[in-house]
Amino acid sequence: MRTLSRTRLLLAFYLVTHEEKAQLRHQLELRVSQLREMLDRPSEGSAVAPDNAIGRLTRLDAMQAGYMNEALRREHTQELAAVERALHQIDGDEYGMCHNCEEPIPFARLVAKPDAQFCVACAEARERRG
């Protein structure tokens, strides 16, 4: 019986309040607008046409910049999907709960990463497994 009340106390400590959810919602909405703005910008590192008379190193630099820009856009697209998913879940019971151990994710972690789906322990375990 004593364990149950301690568990409830810990659960109450980790559950996200309405005010904290409002703060997290604001963070998520801000990040969505930032990511959309970045994705709406035209690509800076576009491919160089083969008939363009530039030096070999300049062409390689332009190609490398293009590849890096494509990778960054992919990362932004993936992050946007994760942030939008979190924004849709924030009013439900699943937001702030670890998808692995089903324990509450501490508010401090959600502030650092509002789209977190795993608590720190489970996230670290997933990273170790690769």
Side-chain angles (χ1 to χ4, degrees):
M1 190 93 156
R2 185 174 189 177
T3 307
L4 182 61
S5 49
R6 182 164 189 242
T7 302
R8 283 186 180 157
L9 181 64
L10 287 172
L11 195 60
F13 177 74
Y14 282 117
L15 288 178
V16 179
T17 67
H18 291 294
E19 293 81 17
E20 291 168 337
K21 275 190 178 183
Q23 178 184 345
L24 293 168
R25 179 182 288 108
H26 177 72
Q27 271 186 264
L28 289 165
E29 289 169 345
L30 182 62
R31 188 63 183 153
V32 164
S33 65
Q34 291 170 341
L35 288 166
R36 284 186 179 153
E37 183 180 315
M38 285 186 265
L39 289 169
D40 287 343
R41 286 188 213 139
S43 298
E44 294 174 9
S46 58
V48 178
D51 58 341
N52 196 345
I54 61 172
R56 183 171 154 234
L57 291 178
T58 304
R59 185 177 311 282
L60 290 174
D61 286 342
M63 289 172 57
Q64 180 65 27
Y67 295 141
M68 289 172 44
N69 190 40
E70 288 174 24
L72 188 59
R73 289 184 71 77
R74 275 192 305 274
E75 285 181 23
H76 286 184
T77 301
Q78 290 171 349
E79 183 183 354
L80 179 61
V83 171
E84 286 179 333
R85 182 175 44 251
L87 199 51
H88 290 294
Q89 293 175 347
I90 199 162
D91 291 322
D93 294 336
E94 292 183 19
Y95 181 78
M97 300 300 283
C98 178
H99 287 222
N100 186 48
C101 68
E102 298 180 357
E103 293 293 321
I105 299 171
F107 178 66
R109 173 153 171 78
L110 291 171
V111 168
K113 186 169 174 44
D115 59 323
Q117 294 181 334
F118 302 98
C119 65
V120 174
C122 290
E124 287 175 348
R126 288 175 59 90
E127 284 182 18
R128 281 193 301 273
R129 285 191 306 259

